Amino acid sequence: MATATAVTDKKAKIYEGSKDPKRAAFYEKISQRDMAPLWEVLKDLVAKSPKSIAAPAIWHFDEVRPMVEEAGGLLTAEEAERRVLVLENPALRGQSRITPSLYAGLQLILPGEIAGAHRHTAGAIRLILDGDGAYTQVDGEKTLMKYGDFVLTPSWTAHDHGNESKKPMIWLDVLDVPTINFFETAFAEHLDSAVQNTKYTDNDSLWRYGSGVLPDGTNTKKESPIINYAYERVRPILDRMAKTDDINPYHGFRLRYANPFNGGWSTPTMGAHLSLLPKGFKGQPYRSTDGTIFACLEGKGQTTIDGEVFEWGPRDVFVIPSWKQYSHKADDQSVLFSISDRPMQESLGIWRELN
């Protein structure tokens, strides 16, 4: 029961029905008991179709890269723990969200630096956008990262980063932090040592699980055991598809990053695709309920989102909110990476598309 002082300070929300004096008095009375009239808010709670609070947006890499690099001169990796510029959706400023359910940012690690080992309940992915030769270690496995690599650090896995190359490296981070925080289930901890003891051969998981076989006695998990889906191994598959498969009129030639244990998504909360758009490709209009983050890895083109045209090229990142109609157009042969919360929606039976 609230204190008398707290009850006295409560004010009823002004509803449309408050124009009626009797209703206004009733709303004031129930507000003092922390109640509200459903009939005044029902149309907003149960909408006829999704109305995203997010907005379409794009971050051109050539414009933001100098700012990411400037951060490298302002503080060390140790001071920052993770030196990242958060990609804030313009309609969600101050909330560290690129969509209502996902966080994204551009992380910088300079030559010789180490981003110390920690773990957290939020799952994370990395898409390498610039540089070559930094590494990530995940639960004792080290993987060197190159342009276009799709790297996983699943929920509660220990991970650290280091740059043993001579050039800075920048990658796109995407995490399910907003979802974890919505459920109020966030935990995190630092490891005793900044760098893990590596117990596996480098890139062990790709060789162990990425060849169509599973070691006998393997314990399957909801998340993929593969740490790094190397671009140099995945990209040629798109060329093979272009020679033999029918093109998808909305997405071009598209593959899904899969969990080899069960053929499902690579993580239980975030699902990723890689698409090849032939030169001159003009995609048909499409929409789906999963707000989607795209990154261009090759080529250039445009994506029209609810009538607004966004021009993109290599390393550019853009976001399409839930249920916004969009279509891609490729000026040159192009490759687009995309990631969204589709696995979460599918597990709840609420994902929908319209084409």
Side-chain angles (χ1 to χ4, degrees):
M1 185 73 176
T3 65
T5 301
V7 170
T8 302
D9 291 340
K10 291 174 183 176
K11 299 292 183 181
K13 182 179 178 180
I14 303 300
Y15 299 107
E16 183 67 26
S18 298
K19 296 176 182 179
D20 182 315
K22 289 184 178 180
R23 291 187 185 180
F26 176 70
Y27 295 164
E28 178 68 30
K29 180 165 57 177
I30 65 176
S31 176
Q32 301 306 310
R33 294 294 182 267
D34 300 309
M35 295 189 290
L38 174 62
W39 55 88
E40 291 282 0
V41 298
L42 184 60
K43 64 181 182 297
D44 295 321
L45 287 177
V46 187
K48 292 183 179 180
S49 62
K51 298 178 181 179
S52 181
I53 60 174
I58 189 166
W59 293 264
H60 294 291
F61 191 79
D62 289 344
E63 295 176 358
V64 301
R65 177 180 179 176
M67 302 174 195
V68 176
E69 293 177 334
E70 184 178 356
L74 296 177
L75 73 171
T76 65
E78 185 178 7
E79 288 177 297
E81 185 170 355
R82 295 295 188 264
R83 193 195 290 109
V84 181
L85 296 190
V86 181
L87 302 182
E88 292 191 318
N89 189 284
L92 304 171
R93 293 298 305 275
Q95 300 180 43
S96 297
R97 296 189 289 173
I98 192 169
T99 74
S101 62
L102 298 178
Y103 155 102
L106 295 175
Q107 181 165 170
L108 169 70
I109 185 164
L110 298 173
E113 286 188 330
I114 292 174
H118 67 195
R119 62 180 180 173
H120 38 69
T121 44
I125 69 94
R126 329 285 171 192
L127 180 72
I128 313 308
L129 294 180
D130 195 53
D132 186 344
Y135 68 82
T136 285
Q137 293 188 123
V138 181
D139 275 354
E141 179 185 336
K142 182 178 181 180
T143 181
L144 295 178
M145 302 184 293
K146 299 179 180 179
Y147 183 74
D149 287 358
F150 173 54
V151 180
L152 302 185
T153 53
S155 173
W156 209 241
T157 55
H159 55 282
D160 58 273
H161 313 297
N163 188 350
E164 299 173 332
S165 75
K166 297 181 180 180
K167 295 182 179 180
M169 280 198 67
I170 299 174
W171 60 77
L172 173 70
D173 288 329
V174 181
L175 289 84
D176 53 18
V177 167
T179 300
I180 299 302
N181 289 341
F182 172 80
F183 286 112
E184 298 180 337
T185 54
F187 294 90
E189 66 180 22
H190 292 88
L191 274 65
D192 294 335
S193 175
V195 179
Q196 299 177 63
N197 291 322
T198 304
K199 61 182 178 180
Y200 296 104
T201 303
D202 291 0
N203 297 316
D204 177 81
S205 62
L206 182 60
W207 292 102
R208 189 181 295 251
Y209 301 108
S211 300
V213 297
L214 293 178
D216 208 12
T218 297
N219 293 319
T220 59
K221 299 179 181 179
K222 291 183 179 180
E223 66 273 2
S224 173
I226 296 174
I227 301 303
N228 186 351
Y229 293 81
Y231 191 61
E232 64 184 8
R233 290 188 56 163
V234 176
R235 174 64 178 83
I237 299 172
L238 292 174
D239 291 328
R240 291 175 180 242
M241 293 173 65
K243 292 178 180 179
T244 60
D245 296 12
D246 294 330
I247 192 168
N248 183 297
Y250 314 101
H251 311 298
F253 298 101
R254 188 169 76 161
L255 57 81
R256 175 171 55 86
Y257 292 93
N259 180 344
F261 286 157
N262 54 28
W265 297 99
S266 51
T267 84
T269 57
M270 297 180 288
H273 290 97
L274 195 68
S275 297
L276 174 67
L277 309 181
K279 182 178 181 179
F281 175 80
K282 294 181 179 180
Q284 296 181 17
Y286 177 84
R287 66 175 63 183
S288 61
T289 53
D290 53 321
T292 305
I293 304 161
F294 287 86
C296 174
L297 293 178
E298 298 177 31
K300 62 179 181 178
Q302 309 92 42
T303 296
T304 302
I305 309 171
D306 270 6
E308 185 177 0
V309 178
F310 293 81
E311 302 270 352
W312 42 259
R315 300 176 174 84
D316 291 348
V317 177
F318 60 100
V319 61
I320 302 175
S322 169
W323 213 239
K324 297 290 187 182
Q325 187 179 80
Y326 69 90
S327 58
H328 299 306
K329 179 183 177 183
D331 297 335
D332 298 326
Q333 178 174 275
S334 303
V335 176
L336 293 179
F337 169 89
S338 62
I339 188 165
S340 74
D341 65 1
R342 179 171 167 177
M344 287 190 278
Q345 293 192 23
E346 287 186 341
S347 68
L348 295 171
I350 59 174
W351 182 79
R352 185 180 294 190
E353 63 179 343
L354 181 65
N355 46 44

